[in-house]
Each structure stands twice: as C-alpha cells, then as structure tokens.
Amino acid sequence: MPAPPRNPAARTFDALASPALTNLLALAGIITPVIAWASSRTGVKNALIIVETALVLVLAGTHLWLRKRYITLRRANNLKSMDDSQYYDLVRAQLERELISDYDEIANGHLRVYASNVPRLSVMLVKTLLESQSEPQRLLAADLTTDPTLLTRRREYFTANRQLIEAGGEVRRLFIVHRDDLARESFARDLLTLISQHRQAGVTCGLAVREALRPEQAVDYIVFAAAAVLVEEEQGDADYTRGRSSVHFKSISRWQERFEAAWGHGADAAPMALQNYEILARPMLDSSTWDTDRIKQGIDSL
C-alpha cells in the first residue's frame, strides 16, 4: 500500500533535517574562516566572523532539534565482522524501516498492533497508567463477549487490572453480548463465572444486549484514563495467533462519552441490567432448570 502524501509542514521538517543541508552548513562553516583568514580587509573579516558564528549557532540548534524530534539508531560497530555482511545489512535495513514506520505512527498519535503483540501492549498500557499517575486512574472497557472463556485466559492483563484496583484505581467493564447467547445455558454459565472472577478482583461489571446498542456503541475498546484508547478491530483467538488492534492517543474524550452512553445511568444502567439478568439466570443454573423462553423474555426487558 503506497504511503499517504506528506503535508507541506512535514516536507519542510524533512528538508531541514536532511543530511544534505547539514553537510552544506558544515562545509560553509569550514570555508568561511578560510576566506576570513585570507582576506586583508578588516571589515570583510568581521563580517565573515559574524557569519561563522551564525552558522555555528544554526548547526548547534539543528543538532538539538534533531535529538528531540528523532530517535538515533545505533549503527553496527563493524559491518565486516558479520559472516555475511551483505545479508546482515539487508536484514538490518528492513528492520530499521519497520521500526521507523512504527515510530512515525506513534508521532502522529496512533499505533497499529497485531496478533500476540495486542495482549502484551494491553498490559503495558495498564502498567504505564500506574507509573505515570495520569488522572483518572481508571479503565473503561467495552467487551464484545462472544466467548467468555477466552477472557479468562488473559491472565497477565487481568493481573494488571487487579494491581490498578489495589493501588486505588477503578476498572469498569461492560460486557456486550448477543441476545441469543445470553439465552444459552452454557454461555450464561461461563459468562457469570467470568463476572464473578472480575468482581472478586474489584471490577465493576455491567451488561448490555448488543442488539439494543447503536452500531458505534458495539465496539470492543479500552479507555486508559484520559490518555489512550485501545480499539480491537479483529478479535484475537485463545492464543492471539490472530487479531488486530489500534491504539490512539488523541480525541480520547469521544471514547469516554461513547462508553458512558452505553453504560447508562440509574435504573437503566448496565450494572442494573446485569443484576436483573443474574436474578433470573443464576437460580436456573444452580437448580438445573434452565428455561430458554423465560430467559428471553427477561432479556427483552433489560
């Protein structure tokens, strides 16, 4: 896929940061004192000294600006020491291009993550929230729950959630479930087991019927304080051999508003919907008297 066109500001920054311009300034810095030394006119010497001073200041300023704007990658100490230096250099160049591509995304306020990197990044985002002390110390998670047993296997992420709660933070998790799934006995048993585990860790749980939500509300995402949001675009499997997510660091407030709208308030809030579902479903599960029709009627009244 071709790279998107760069805007004029980005092209200007690239031009200022180009090695050609830096080399040109360095060359001018060498030539200027030579001309000043060779000139016999005092006025010319003074002018060239001023030019030389300006060039030094520009080079120093450019160097500081580049250090803040760009990441400096360490080069190989001795390319010839590699058994196959050409092969090594091609691999290094490919990895470097991928790294730079990722950092270009981060610089623009978003990042794409694939497969097994998704749960690893999820844990990192929670731990970074703890370390940074960003406010509020809170996670707002909307889960498109199609298989509750998958979520029980995200042990590292669940542990990070518990650590956040133990440190005084808050985690709210909204389980968004299809109506037909809620009416299945085996699904209901797994879902309520999962919810019990979350509650024991201090997570505030809520329930929403997917068919009752607007399309833009039925999205799988996690809001980290007011700092970032992780949007799961393709749900991962048990071992996260597949899956795709995006992390955004801009416009977080709209995701917070989206979560609050789906969570609701008062008697219509998601925790109340979950409570009403549990009042109906748990006794049937405990007594092995599951009544699908009665459960569906209860779901329709949530």
Side-chain angles (χ1 to χ4, degrees):
M1 186 174 66
R6 299 176 67 81
N7 58 45
R11 290 197 295 269
T12 301
F13 284 137
D14 289 343
L16 291 173
S18 68
L21 178 59
T22 303
N23 292 337
L24 182 61
L25 288 172
L27 181 62
I30 295 171
I31 294 173
T32 300
V34 172
I35 296 174
W37 177 79
S39 175
S40 60
R41 297 173 59 183
T42 303
V44 173
K45 284 187 176 182
N46 291 338
L48 290 174
I49 289 172
I50 293 173
V51 172
E52 171 72 9
T53 302
L55 287 172
V56 171
L57 291 175
V58 169
L59 284 171
T62 303
H63 176 70
L64 292 173
W65 177 74
L66 288 174
R67 287 188 62 183
K68 289 185 177 181
R69 179 172 172 81
Y70 292 98
I71 294 172
T72 302
L73 299 178
R74 180 176 176 269
R75 315 307 297 182
N77 291 332
N78 186 1
L79 193 61
K80 293 181 180 179
S81 67
M82 308 300 168
D83 287 353
D84 188 331
S85 59
Q86 182 181 5
Y87 178 85
Y88 162 78
D89 201 42
L90 289 172
V91 173
R92 178 203 56 76
Q94 175 63 29
L95 293 173
E96 188 173 291
R97 281 195 297 272
E98 293 177 3
L99 177 65
I100 291 172
S101 174
D102 287 343
Y103 273 103
D104 189 52
E105 288 188 13
I106 293 173
N108 290 325
H110 68 274
L111 177 66
R112 286 169 292 184
V113 192
Y114 300 92
S116 60
N117 283 326
V118 176
R120 184 168 61 86
L121 184 65
S122 301
V123 173
M124 186 190 75
L125 289 169
V126 179
K127 290 184 176 179
T128 304
L129 179 59
L130 269 168
E131 293 170 4
S132 68
Q133 290 299 305
S134 296
E135 293 294 339
Q137 287 278 293
R138 182 182 69 191
L139 300 184
L140 304 177
D143 290 318
L144 296 182
T145 311
T146 56
D147 183 356
T149 61
L150 286 180
L151 297 178
T152 62
R153 301 174 190 176
R154 310 286 190 252
R155 294 184 180 88
E156 291 185 9
Y157 176 69
F158 185 70
T159 299
N161 278 223
R162 187 170 59 242
Q163 290 171 346
L164 177 66
I165 294 169
E166 290 172 352
E170 176 191 7
V171 178
R172 280 194 269 166
R173 180 154 286 112
L174 176 65
F175 296 94
I176 302 174
V177 189
H178 283 292
R179 176 180 180 272
D180 289 345
D181 286 337
L182 287 171
R184 288 194 294 115
E185 181 178 2
S186 59
F187 185 95
R189 190 179 302 278
D190 290 339
L191 175 64
L192 295 182
T193 298
L194 174 66
I195 287 171
S196 295
Q197 292 174 353
H198 278 71
R199 281 181 175 152
Q200 288 172 6
V203 177
T204 303
C205 299
L207 176 68
V209 180
R210 188 166 182 174
E211 287 78 6
L213 297 178
R214 298 192 300 274
E216 68 272 14
Q217 292 177 317
V219 180
D220 203 309
Y221 60 93
I222 309 168
V223 181
F224 299 83
V229 59
L230 173 68
V231 184
E232 189 163 6
E233 297 164 354
E234 180 186 344
Q235 195 164 36
D237 53 4
D239 299 317
Y240 256 103
T241 55
R242 61 178 174 84
R244 182 181 70 251
S245 296
S246 295
V247 185
H248 304 273
F249 300 92
K250 297 179 180 178
S251 304
I252 308 305
S253 60
R254 70 185 182 93
W255 290 97
Q256 293 174 316
E257 292 166 2
R258 181 178 296 184
F259 182 89
E260 295 294 349
W263 187 263
H265 302 280
D268 296 326
M272 289 301 299
L274 176 57
Q275 179 179 312
N276 292 335
Y277 176 72
E278 288 183 280
I279 289 173
L280 185 61
R282 283 194 185 275
M284 292 186 187
L285 292 172
D286 293 340
S287 60
S288 299
T289 56
W290 190 259
D291 187 335
T292 301
D293 291 336
R294 186 181 169 198
I295 285 288
K296 285 185 175 180
Q297 291 176 0
I299 295 169
D300 291 338
S301 65
L302 295 178

